[in-house]
Amino acid sequence: MRQFRTMSLRFLLLVVALGSIGISAQSFRAGYNNVESAVKPYAALDPLAFNDGKPVTAKTWPKRRAEILGMFEENVFGPTPAAAKGLPVRAHLDEQDDHALGGKAIRKQITLYFSAKGEDGPKEHLLLYLPAGSKGKTPMVLGMSFAGNQTIVDDPGIRLNPTWTRAPKSAEPPHLEIPAETTRGAQTQQWQVEKVLARGYGIATIYYGDLEPDYKDAVQLGIRPYFYATGQTAPAADEWGAIGVWAWGLSRALDYLVSDQLVDGSRVAVTGHSRLGKAADWAAAQDTRFAAVLSTESGKGGQSLSRRVYGETVKHLEDSFPYWFCANYAKWVDRDTEIPVDGNLMLSLMAPRPLYVASAEGDQWSDPKGEFLSAVSASRVYELLRKPGIGTATMPPVDQPTDQSRFVAYHVRSGKHDVTAFDWDEYLNFLDAHFGRRK
Ligand code: GTR
C-alpha cells in the first residue's frame, strides 16, 4: 500500500487559495496589453466559412464543425487518443448516504477505474450530490475541482482522497498526500452546493489531479503515459496536453452519470473555471453528450479572443503552462493574430446546446470583452441552426446578464477572477430556462 504523508495545512491552504484566485490571473505583467485603445484592428475568424472560403449552411455545418475541431486538435490541445476514447471504465460505488448534508442530499462516492489494475492503476474519484428524496432523473452540473472533492462543501462524509502537492520553489518532486481535515469546504463559495441542490439540481465533481498533476514536467505522473506507444517516453508534438486529459476525465465522469438511474443523462451541464474552464470547454466541444455549457472566465486558450491581443497571450501560456497544450501550440507564440482557431470558434462548437459565458470585470487578464465578442460571433452558428443566439452585439452592463431564455447568454460580474454565488444564481436561472424549472 502506498503511504501518503499528511500535507501541511499552511501549504494546502496556499494550494486552495491559488486554485481559487487563478494564481497570476489578476496581475498584468509588463509587456501585456490592458488598454482597449491599443487593440489593433484584426481579422476575426469566421465560424460560418470553410477554410477554403466557401460559406457554411445548416446542412454543411457538421463538416465545418469537424474542420474546426480538427484545427483545435492540431494546433492547441492535441487529439484525444482513440484508445482513450474507447477505454472501458469500471465504476465502483464506494459509499452512499441518503441523508447527507443534514438530510438535504443524497451523496454518492464512486471510483472510476481506467484499467484492470484496480487501486494500482489510473482512476478518478467522483463525488455526486442529488437533492434529498430525488426520485426519477435529476438534471446535473458536473465540474472539476482544483484541490479535491472535500473542498466543495464542508461534509465530514467526503473521503479524503490524495491530492498532489509540491512545496513552492522547493526541489521536492510533486507527490500525493492526504489533504488535511481543515480543507473540507475550502471552496464552498466557488461551488455553492447547497444552493444548487435547493434549486433542484444535482452536482458532481472530480479532482483534476486524479488525471494529471498541474505542474511542468509532471506528464509521467498522469494518464498520458498510459496511452504511449511501445517505447515512447514523451508526448509527440501533436499529441494531447494536460487540458485534453482533464477534458477526457470529464467525459469519463459523464460515462458514469448517464448510467446512474437517479441522473438525467440527457441534461448534464459541464462547468469549469479558468484553466478548468478551458478543460470544460474542450470537453463539451468534443463530447456532445454534455447538454449545456457554463463556462467561467476560461480566458485565452478558452472562450476569449487571442486576436485582440489584450490580456494573456499565447507566449504567456506557453512560458508558464506548456504542458496544458500540445507542443504544436508553441508555434503560435507571438503570432496571436495568426493562430487558425480562436475563442469564437471554440464557442461555436457548443452550438446548438445552451451556452452561458461568464466573465469578471476584475479579470482583465482573461479579456472579458474578448469573451463577450466570442459569444456574439458563435451566436451566428446558433442562429443558423435555428436557435436564438445572444441577441445583442452590445456588451451588457456589469452584473446584468443578457436574456437567459436565449441559447447563448453572457454576463460580466463585478469582482475578481473567481466563481461566486452571483455566477451560480445566473447559471441556475439559465438552466431553469433550458432544462425546465424544477422545485
Ligand atoms: C492563469 C492563466 C490563465 C488561467 C488561470 C487559472 O495563470 O494565465 O490562462 O487559466 O491561470 O487557471 O487560474
Side-chain angles (χ1 to χ4, degrees):
M1 247 312 263
R2 213 159 173 172
Q3 295 294 313
F4 300 109
R5 278 162 283 169
T6 299
M7 194 184 282
S8 87
L9 173 61
R10 200 166 52 93
F11 179 65
L12 211 132
L13 289 178
L14 179 73
V15 171
V16 170
L18 292 181
S20 69
I21 64 166
I23 308 178
S24 56
Q26 301 298 308
S27 53
F28 267 84
R29 290 158 199 76
Y32 294 93
N33 176 34
N34 64 350
V35 177
E36 186 59 36
S37 58
V39 173
K40 299 195 182 86
Y42 59 91
L45 292 170
D46 186 351
L48 293 183
F50 284 97
N51 290 347
D52 65 8
K54 288 207 182 90
V56 174
T57 62
K59 213 170 153 204
T60 59
W61 166 249
K63 268 188 147 177
R64 172 61 174 155
R65 189 179 192 285
E67 187 174 67
I68 294 172
L69 203 61
M71 290 190 289
F72 273 106
E73 289 178 340
E74 189 185 329
N75 295 286
V76 185
F77 300 116
T80 304
K85 283 184 188 160
L87 197 73
V89 174
R90 185 170 61 84
H92 181 263
L93 177 65
D94 299 322
E95 186 265 351
Q96 176 163 351
D97 181 353
D98 291 345
H99 305 283
L101 301 180
K104 291 188 200 125
I106 300 170
R107 181 188 63 236
K108 286 188 177 190
Q109 297 183 79
I110 297 119
T111 304
L112 301 176
Y113 294 101
F114 303 135
S115 82
K117 291 185 186 162
E119 279 305 320
D120 296 328
K123 56 186 177 292
E124 68 184 13
H125 300 286
L126 178 72
L127 167 66
L128 163 63
Y129 287 103
L130 294 156
S134 287
K135 291 188 187 67
K137 292 183 171 284
T138 303
M140 301 277 312
V141 182
L142 167 69
M144 270 182 299
S145 81
F146 281 99
N149 292 349
Q150 83 287 354
T151 61
I152 76 163
V153 65
D154 186 0
D155 176 354
I158 302 176
R159 295 183 156 204
L160 295 176
N161 297 311
T163 51
W164 290 101
T165 187
R166 181 172 58 177
K169 301 200 175 105
S170 107
E172 194 180 20
H175 53 272
L176 286 164
E177 292 185 345
I178 298 293
E181 282 287 337
T182 44
T183 62
R184 292 187 186 280
Q187 298 210 322
T188 301
Q189 182 216 269
Q190 284 79 14
W191 285 86
Q192 301 288 328
V193 170
E194 302 210 2
K195 184 189 283 287
V196 175
L197 294 168
R199 295 279 297 262
Y201 296 90
I203 186 159
T205 190
I206 51 174
Y207 164 56
Y208 78 147
D210 283 355
L211 286 317
E212 182 169 325
D214 190 1
Y215 303 120
K216 251 185 210 175
D217 305 322
V219 58
Q220 71 283 0
L221 299 173
I223 295 279
R224 283 189 272 173
Y226 192 66
F227 300 101
Y228 283 169
T230 315
Q232 187 176 357
T233 54
D238 59 353
E239 288 183 330
W240 59 345
I243 288 176
V245 176
W246 297 328
W248 177 82
L250 286 168
S251 281
R252 303 293 66 80
L254 184 58
D255 289 347
Y256 170 77
L257 292 175
V258 299
S259 76
D260 189 311
Q261 291 306 308
L262 294 178
V263 173
D264 183 347
S266 69
R267 290 188 294 173
V268 177
V270 67
T271 194
H273 176 234
S274 203
R275 67 197 68 186
L276 295 183
K278 302 185 217 297
D281 292 346
W282 183 229
Q286 296 175 90
D287 189 341
T288 55
R289 295 175 302 165
F290 287 110
V293 187
L294 312 170
S295 180
T296 322
E297 299 148 29
S298 65
K300 299 297 171 65
Q303 68 202 18
S304 205
L305 279 180
S306 288
R307 275 174 168 62
R308 277 172 41 78
V309 197
Y310 181 105
E312 190 169 29
T313 59
V314 176
K315 175 164 169 43
H316 181 269
L317 285 164
E318 268 299 315
D319 287 351
S320 310
F321 314 106
Y323 58 96
W324 286 359
F325 305 95
C326 66
N328 277 343
Y329 191 54
K331 283 190 205 162
W332 306 104
V333 167
D334 295 329
R335 294 171 67 195
D336 299 75
T337 58
E338 292 168 55
I339 182 164
V341 286
D342 215 332
N344 62 328
L345 296 196
M346 170 56 75
L347 296 187
S348 73
L349 295 175
M350 311 312 171
R353 295 166 289 169
L355 164 67
Y356 201 118
V357 178
S359 305
E361 194 189 21
D363 179 21
Q364 293 296 316
W365 187 238
S366 294
D367 184 13
K369 186 168 178 190
E371 296 179 323
F372 173 72
L373 292 174
S374 285
V376 172
S377 170
S379 289
R380 294 175 52 228
V381 180
Y382 282 77
E383 301 285 350
L384 180 77
L385 302 178
R386 299 182 180 283
K387 297 286 185 212
I390 193 164
T392 177
T394 308
M395 199 158 161
V398 172
D399 295 333
Q400 289 185 37
T402 61
D403 180 353
Q404 292 167 339
S405 69
R406 306 184 71 94
F407 272 56
V408 181
Y410 174 86
H411 70 234
V412 54
R413 149 180 79 60
S414 47
K416 65 184 173 90
H417 186 66
D418 203 350
V419 191
T420 68
F422 178 93
D423 295 314
W424 278 105
D425 282 334
E426 301 311 332
Y427 285 162
L428 295 168
N429 290 340
F430 183 68
L431 291 184
D432 281 352
H434 297 280
F435 280 180
R437 182 178 288 276
R438 296 178 64 97
K439 295 274 171 310

